[in-house]
Amino acid sequence: MPYIAAENRYEPMPYRRCGRSGLKLPAISLGLWQNFGGTDVFETGRAILRRAFDRGVSHFDLANNYGPPYGSAEENFGRWMDLDFRPYRDELVISSKAGWDMWPGPYGNLGSRKYLIASLDQSLKRMGLDYVDIFYHHRPDPETPLEETMGALDQIVRSGKALYVGVSSYSPELTREAHRILKALGTPFIIHQPSYSMLNRWVEDGLLDTLAETGLGCIAFSPLAQGLLTKRYLSGVPEDSRAAKNASFSQNLVTPENVERLRQLNAIAERRGQTLAQMAIAWVLRDPRVTSALIGARTVEQLDNSLDALNRAEFSEEELREIDAHATEGGIDLWRSQSAIKPA
C-alpha cells in the first residue's frame, strides 16, 4: 500500500524557531548516523522514518559518510524518498554534512572548497534531491583558512544546492568568526550542531551564550550519549549494545563512575514517571536556546519511547538541582578535540 502520512501529524509536536531565522524545527529531530545504512534492515529504517513523520518529525539529518558503508544512509534515504516521501518534500527539512573522511586522497576530508562542494554534489545524487535545506561543515579544519570554508558554504547557497548552512562542533570563538564572515557575505548561517547531554555539558561553557548573541539555533546531537543515558547500561555492557561493538562508542566509557551517575539519574526519572532516555531528552530541551534534540532510533518502539519525552518536558527547580548533582562530566565527549579548535 502507498504511504499516506497521518493527517494529524503536526498536532503533537512542538516546533521551535531556529535562532533568529524564519525556519522552525521540530523539538525532536531524527538523525540517520546509525541504523540506516547498507548493513541494516531496509524495511526497519523505512518504518522508523514513516512513524517519525506521522508523529511530526519533519527534520531528517544525514551526512556524507553515514552508513556503514559510507554513503549508504543517503542512498537508502533516496530510496525512502522515492517510495514514501517524495510527495511530502516541501514539508521536510533535510540536512547533510561534510567534514570527516569520505573518500581517499587529499580532497575527501576536512574543509576545502573542493571537498565541500564535491561532497554535496555526491550527497544530492545519492538522495535524488535538487537541494538540501541545511548543509553543515561537519567539523573545524585547522589547516584550511576559515574564509575558504565559509566561502564554500556561501557558494553552495548561491548555487541553489542548500537553503541554509550550519556548522558542527565549532568552539564559541570559531563560531563567532564563522558568523562574522558569513554575515558579511550575506549567507543564511542559522544553526550549530554540537554534542550535548547530561554527561557532556561543554556547550554551557560559552557556546550557548554565543549562539544566543549571534542569533543562531542549536540542534543537540547525542542527547542520550550514544545510548549510555538509557536503562541498558545500568548493570554494565549488554552484548548487543553499541558499546559492546567497540565502534563509535567504546566499552571504556561505561565506567563505574558513569554507571553510578546513570543509576542516580534513573531514580529521578522514575519518580518523574519517565524512562531515563525520556528525561535525558527533555532535559536537553529545557533550555530555550536549544532548538531541537537530534535522536537516533534502532526500532519503531525505541523511536516512540524517545518522542514520548515530550509528554513530560517540564522540570521543577528542585528536580533540576537534583539532576545537576549527578549530571556531571562523564568523559564521553568524543568530539572534544574538535570543539577546542580556535581561530588562527
Side-chain angles (χ1 to χ4, degrees):
M1 295 292 293
Y3 169 64
I4 300 176
E7 291 185 3
N8 65 340
R9 57 189 174 276
Y10 294 113
E11 293 176 8
M13 176 64 68
Y15 296 84
R16 298 182 172 190
R17 188 167 301 279
C18 190
R20 289 197 287 268
S21 76
L23 186 69
K24 290 184 177 181
L25 296 179
I28 297 178
S29 301
L30 181 63
L32 279 69
W33 178 21
Q34 307 279 344
N35 306 312
F36 297 91
T39 61
D40 299 296
V41 179
F42 181 84
E43 288 300 330
T44 299
R46 183 184 183 188
I48 292 170
L49 263 69
R50 284 181 165 197
R51 179 63 171 168
F53 189 53
D54 282 346
R55 293 195 59 176
V57 178
S58 55
H59 176 30
F60 298 142
D61 181 77
L62 299 103
N64 55 358
N65 61 1
Y66 286 178
Y70 285 179
S72 60
E74 289 185 330
E75 290 174 352
N76 281 344
F77 186 77
R79 293 174 63 191
W80 293 320
M81 284 293 296
D82 289 337
L83 289 168
D84 298 324
F85 295 104
R86 197 70 62 184
Y88 303 101
R89 173 64 183 97
D90 290 338
E91 297 184 41
L92 296 173
V93 172
I94 300 168
S95 59
S96 192
K97 317 177 198 71
W100 291 92
D101 60 300
M102 181 59 192
W103 62 83
Y107 316 123
N109 204 340
L110 295 169
S112 71
R113 181 186 299 271
K114 178 171 178 60
Y115 171 48
L116 295 183
I117 292 175
S119 179
L120 179 54
D121 284 344
Q122 292 180 16
S123 292
L124 292 174
K125 184 176 180 180
R126 282 190 289 267
M127 293 187 286
L129 299 176
D130 296 324
Y131 69 95
V132 293
D133 297 276
I134 304 171
F135 183 69
Y136 293 90
H137 185 219
H138 208 165
R139 62 163 171 167
D141 178 0
E143 298 180 353
T144 299
L146 189 61
E147 289 79 3
E148 177 177 341
T149 302
M150 296 301 107
L153 296 183
D154 177 71
Q155 180 177 335
I156 282 168
V157 171
R158 294 183 187 281
S159 70
K161 296 175 183 177
L163 302 184
Y164 306 94
V165 297
V167 297
S168 181
S169 299
Y170 273 45
S171 67
E173 298 84 356
L174 202 61
T175 300
R176 286 185 183 275
E177 184 62 12
H179 178 263
R180 182 191 66 79
I181 295 170
L182 291 173
K183 184 177 181 180
L185 292 170
T187 314
F189 175 31
I190 67 166
I191 192 166
H192 189 300
Q193 186 176 133
S195 61
Y196 184 34
S197 73
M198 290 195 290
L199 301 182
N200 173 22
R201 300 178 64 167
W202 75 277
V203 302
E204 297 172 12
D205 189 21
L207 181 62
L208 288 177
D209 288 338
T210 295
L211 300 184
E213 292 167 12
T214 54
L216 297 175
C218 175
I219 181 167
F221 78 85
S222 203
L224 300 183
Q226 297 198 68
L228 184 59
L229 284 164
T230 66
K231 286 187 175 182
R232 303 196 77 203
Y233 295 96
L234 292 177
S235 301
V237 181
E239 291 184 2
D240 62 342
S241 66
R242 191 187 302 184
K245 299 176 183 177
N246 269 324
S248 62
F249 188 69
S250 171
Q251 293 190 44
N252 296 332
L253 301 180
V254 190
T255 63
E257 294 80 8
N258 278 340
V259 170
E260 180 58 25
R261 291 184 179 97
L262 299 181
R263 289 172 178 165
Q264 296 295 333
L265 292 168
N266 184 64
I268 300 171
E270 288 182 343
R271 291 200 298 273
R272 282 172 49 85
Q274 289 181 305
T275 66
L276 175 56
Q278 289 168 348
M279 186 178 78
I281 294 168
W283 180 87
V284 164
L285 291 170
R286 82 200 185 285
D287 193 314
R289 294 171 295 184
V290 176
T291 312
S292 183
L294 184 60
I295 65 166
R298 187 165 44 89
T299 64
V300 171
E301 292 74 20
Q302 192 179 79
L303 171 75
D304 278 336
N305 181 273
S306 293
L307 293 178
D308 286 346
L310 298 173
N311 296 338
R312 183 74 165 83
E314 302 299 323
F315 292 87
S316 68
E317 290 299 322
E318 182 179 351
E319 286 173 327
L320 290 175
R321 284 194 296 270
E322 188 177 4
I323 289 170
D324 279 342
H326 308 290
T328 55
E329 176 58 46
I332 63 166
D333 187 357
L334 306 180
W335 305 271
R336 181 59 57 89
S337 63
Q338 306 300 314
S339 56
I341 295 172
K342 298 182 180 181

